[in-house]
Amino acid sequence: YLASLRRAVRILDGGMGVLLPKLGVPKDPILWSARALVDNKHHPAVVRAHQQFIKAGASAIIANSYAVIPGYLRKADLVGEASRLCELAGRLAREAAGPPGAADSALVLGSLPPLIDSYRADLLLPKLEAEQWYAMMARAMQPHVDAFVAETMSCPDEAMCAVAGLSQALPEAKAWVCFTVDSSGRCRDGTAFCDAVRALSDFSNVSGVGVNCCVPEAVELAMASLDTDSKAFDFASRVERVVYANAYPVSHSEGLEYDTENFDDEAVRDDLGADRYAEMAASW
């Protein structure tokens, strides 16, 4: 039983924005991890970062497209480069993972992130514009990825734009959808996690649901809410459950105190080392 359980569990990679500076990519408070895509000389570092996560045990990696968003690219006058950067992110991830379908290849996921900034349900693009951007990202990464993940979604509206845009571009493509929740386990606009999951239940391209970019203690609170909603629980039981919390302090993870341009991504909790995180993850 334990062996079959281990085979059923995927191990995801970690934060590219934290690892890339350790591999020589300059920190950039405007472009973040997209800096490694914009500068050709840093492309090998992206591949190495993916490979290090795989070597550490990741069976699935996420392409470095999280920062390829209008909220960041507009500040650097790079909006016109978005499709090229997304394609590049997918290509570099595939280079690290190996040929698709090979027995020893990691799953490659294309990131569909918040388009203005993380945690900000109050900063959403208009629906049509958001769907078009997500469709562009999906088309660009499609040749290189196995599936997609709409991650750090702050609210149901943001998530539905991501999956709708994906569906418009690639009707057969599948996506996990992960919401970022506050320390009470609710989405960033106050929506109960179970309500957010129920809102996705009519989308046939959603193959997994869960939470990410939150304090680990919030995971069980969010998941417990599924027990209060039969439709959400049924849907979540038919798809993959996806969870990847972070190690940042509550003050950061509460969201509105988060300031992208002044954020110290190495200011993590001192009570949450690898062993403690693994212990909490085992309970999920």
Side-chain angles (χ1 to χ4, degrees), residues 104-271:
D104 58 347
S105 291
L107 187 75
V108 178
L109 299 158
S111 174
L112 302 176
L115 298 181
I116 300 298
D117 212 341
S118 300
Y119 302 161
R120 297 298 297 270
D122 59 326
L123 295 179
L124 304 185
L125 287 180
K127 180 176 182 293
L128 179 59
E129 185 179 352
E131 290 177 359
Q132 290 174 339
W133 192 278
Y134 286 125
M136 173 277 296
M137 297 185 80
R139 290 191 194 97
M141 289 186 279
Q142 186 272 334
H144 310 294
V145 305
D146 299 296
F148 295 86
V149 54
E151 55 180 340
T152 322
M153 297 287 98
S154 63
C155 61
D157 285 347
E158 188 167 48
M160 288 189 287
C161 282
V163 295
L166 174 62
S167 180
Q168 292 164 20
L170 306 170
E172 302 302 317
K174 301 296 184 182
W176 297 341
V177 179
C178 293
F179 293 93
T180 174
V181 296
D182 62 20
S183 57
S184 71
R186 302 178 76 88
C187 296
R188 301 299 173 155
D189 67 340
T191 300
F193 176 67
C194 60
D195 293 338
V197 171
R198 184 172 4 96
L200 298 172
S201 60
D202 292 330
F203 286 89
S204 61
N205 59 341
V206 176
S207 60
V209 293
V211 298
N212 79 296
C213 212
C214 62
V215 294
E217 293 87 348
V219 172
E220 291 189 35
L221 296 174
M223 292 299 178
S225 75
L226 295 174
D227 295 334
T228 68
D229 188 311
S230 59
K231 185 174 182 179
F233 181 86
D234 178 66
F235 176 63
S237 299
R238 289 186 281 109
V239 299
E240 292 189 79
R241 298 280 182 99
V242 187
V243 176
Y244 48 115
N246 62 34
Y248 295 123
V250 171
S251 59
H252 162 79
S253 292
E254 284 305 315
L256 290 179
E257 294 182 32
Y258 171 82
D259 178 356
T260 302
E261 295 187 19
N262 295 294
F263 172 53
D264 180 1
D265 57 11
E266 295 189 35
V268 296
R269 291 165 53 176
D270 58 12
D271 65 337

Side-chain angles (χ1 to χ4, degrees), residues 27-35 67 69 71-77 260-261:
K27 288 191 175 184
D28 187 327
I30 302 299
L31 289 174
W32 286 88
S33 60
R35 169 54 59 194
I69 59 173
Y72 296 174
L73 297 184
R74 285 171 181 164
K75 297 176 184 178
D77 196 25
T260 302
E261 295 187 19

Side-chain angles (χ1 to χ4, degrees), residues 48-88:
R48 288 200 305 274
H50 287 310
Q51 290 173 333
Q52 286 190 16
F53 285 127
I54 294 169
K55 184 178 180 180
S59 57
I61 61 173
I62 300 176
N64 186 39
S65 55
Y66 190 88
V68 184
I69 59 173
Y72 296 174
L73 297 184
R74 285 171 181 164
K75 297 176 184 178
D77 196 25
L78 289 170
V79 169
E81 295 292 303
S83 180
R84 182 183 69 82
L85 295 175
C86 284
E87 187 278 332
L88 176 61

Side-chain angles (χ1 to χ4, degrees), residues 18-42:
V18 175
L19 182 54
L20 286 171
K22 300 180 188 302
L23 297 177
V25 179
K27 288 191 175 184
D28 187 327
I30 302 299
L31 289 174
W32 286 88
S33 60
R35 169 54 59 194
L37 302 174
V38 171
D39 292 343
N40 293 355
K41 65 182 179 182
H42 298 309

Side-chain angles (χ1 to χ4, degrees), residues 1-11 59 240:
Y1 170 76
L2 289 177
S4 64
L5 181 61
R6 291 190 187 99
R7 286 195 296 271
V9 174
R10 300 184 195 272
I11 303 298
S59 57
E240 292 189 79

